[in-house]
Amino acid sequence: MSKEFNVPPVIFPSGGNPNTGPQRRLPTAPFQPPRSSNPGIPFMSFDIGSSPASTSFSTPQFGTIGAGSGGGSANFDDELPLLEELGINTKQIWNKTASILNPFRVKADLHEDADLSGPFLFLMAFGLFQLLAGKLHFGIILGWVTVASLFLYVVFNMLAGRNGNLDLYRCLSLIGYCMLPIVILSAIALFVPQGGLVIFVMMGIFVIWSTRVCTRLLVELASCGDEHRGLIAYACFLIYMLFSLLVVF
């Protein structure tokens, strides 16, 4: 015997269609750009359909140096050497150095063009020889050369008055080049016992050498220097005697 259950009928509010009622929206991400419709650029996440498929960039064309180089290769035959671009004339430095080595035949015309390349090399060599002797004098040497140039510049122009035409740059160049005998003295002093009679005799010879060369160059290159040769020589003697004391003591 079967038992019957009374089931109430299901009534949908929109006329029997279950899909037209109020539905629950699924949550979505805040922002997701549409996928690209161009399969050739898979890494782009935005649609660039309006842009051309391939963009061509114009490569800059550089001209060749020299007409005979050919094939786009640069021609550097006309380039100046590096030392000349830096203003360092090795031939001129050598000629000036050779003129200092002979104190009896000093060529003053070689020193008309002042430079600081040769003096810088001589001062570094002087400091290196002092370093080999156990004396660290690089700062003292550079400082004393600057002060000595100012001293000689002031003394000469005070003696010459308004007619003095010695500038500080040339004065520094002449003092630096005339340091060559003192540099030679510092090299020889490495093999001579310190505190003996020999080193003092050598010091006097090299100081007189530097004084003679510097005085002659100043007198011949600057006007009104011949009238005060003795005072200029005394100022140069004090300068190079001061540097020689660094070698002896």
Side-chain angles (χ1 to χ4, degrees):
M1 183 176 179
S2 62
K3 187 176 181 179
E4 295 181 358
F5 296 94
N6 295 324
V7 179
V10 179
I11 300 174
F12 295 98
S14 57
N17 189 2
N19 296 325
T20 58
Q23 297 180 3
R24 184 179 180 183
R25 297 183 61 183
L26 297 176
T28 58
F31 174 75
Q32 287 185 355
R35 300 181 61 87
S36 173
S37 60
N38 190 354
I41 311 179
F43 55 86
M44 303 295 287
S45 61
F46 52 87
D47 190 8
I48 55 172
S50 61
S51 301
S54 61
T55 304
S56 60
F57 297 95
S58 59
T59 305
Q61 301 293 331
F62 298 97
T64 58
I65 302 176
S69 58
S73 61
N75 184 14
F76 297 100
D77 295 337
D78 297 333
E79 294 291 333
L80 294 176
L82 180 60
L83 293 179
E84 292 187 8
E85 290 184 357
L86 295 176
I88 301 175
N89 192 344
T90 55
K91 184 178 180 180
Q92 185 181 21
I93 294 174
W94 171 252
N95 292 333
K96 290 181 179 181
T97 304
S99 67
I100 299 295
L101 290 175
N102 189 357
F104 300 101
R105 297 182 60 182
V106 180
K107 297 179 180 180
D109 56 340
L110 296 175
H111 295 267
E112 290 182 356
D113 297 331
D115 69 280
L116 297 182
S117 302
F120 182 77
L121 293 177
F122 293 155
L123 294 178
M124 289 297 102
F126 184 40
L128 179 60
F129 289 134
Q130 291 293 97
L131 184 62
L132 293 176
K135 306 171 185 178
L136 187 60
H137 288 160
F138 286 99
I140 296 176
I141 293 170
L142 295 177
W144 282 9
V145 166
T146 305
V147 174
S149 301
L150 290 172
F151 169 71
L152 190 59
Y153 169 75
V154 172
V155 169
F156 184 88
N157 286 281
M158 288 181 64
L159 293 174
R162 297 181 179 180
N163 298 323
N165 60 347
L166 179 66
D167 56 345
L168 186 60
Y169 184 75
R170 175 173 291 183
C171 186
L172 184 59
S173 175
L174 293 179
I175 290 180
Y177 272 107
C178 295
M179 279 287 297
L180 179 60
I182 306 300
V183 176
I184 299 175
L185 174 64
S186 63
I188 298 176
L190 295 175
F191 309 98
V192 177
Q194 298 291 324
L197 181 61
V198 178
I199 189 65
F200 286 101
V201 173
M202 292 177 57
M203 181 186 70
I205 293 174
F206 283 99
V207 168
I208 294 174
W209 181 0
S210 295
T211 302
R212 175 183 172 83
V213 174
C214 188
T215 304
R216 184 170 180 179
L217 290 176
L218 284 173
V219 169
E220 295 188 7
L221 293 178
S223 60
C224 301
D226 199 10
E227 301 175 1
H228 310 282
R229 183 186 294 266
L231 293 176
I232 295 173
Y234 178 68
C236 294
F237 176 79
L238 292 178
I239 291 172
Y240 294 109
M241 177 61 71
L242 188 64
F243 284 105
S244 65
L245 292 178
L246 291 177
V247 180
V248 176
F249 297 103

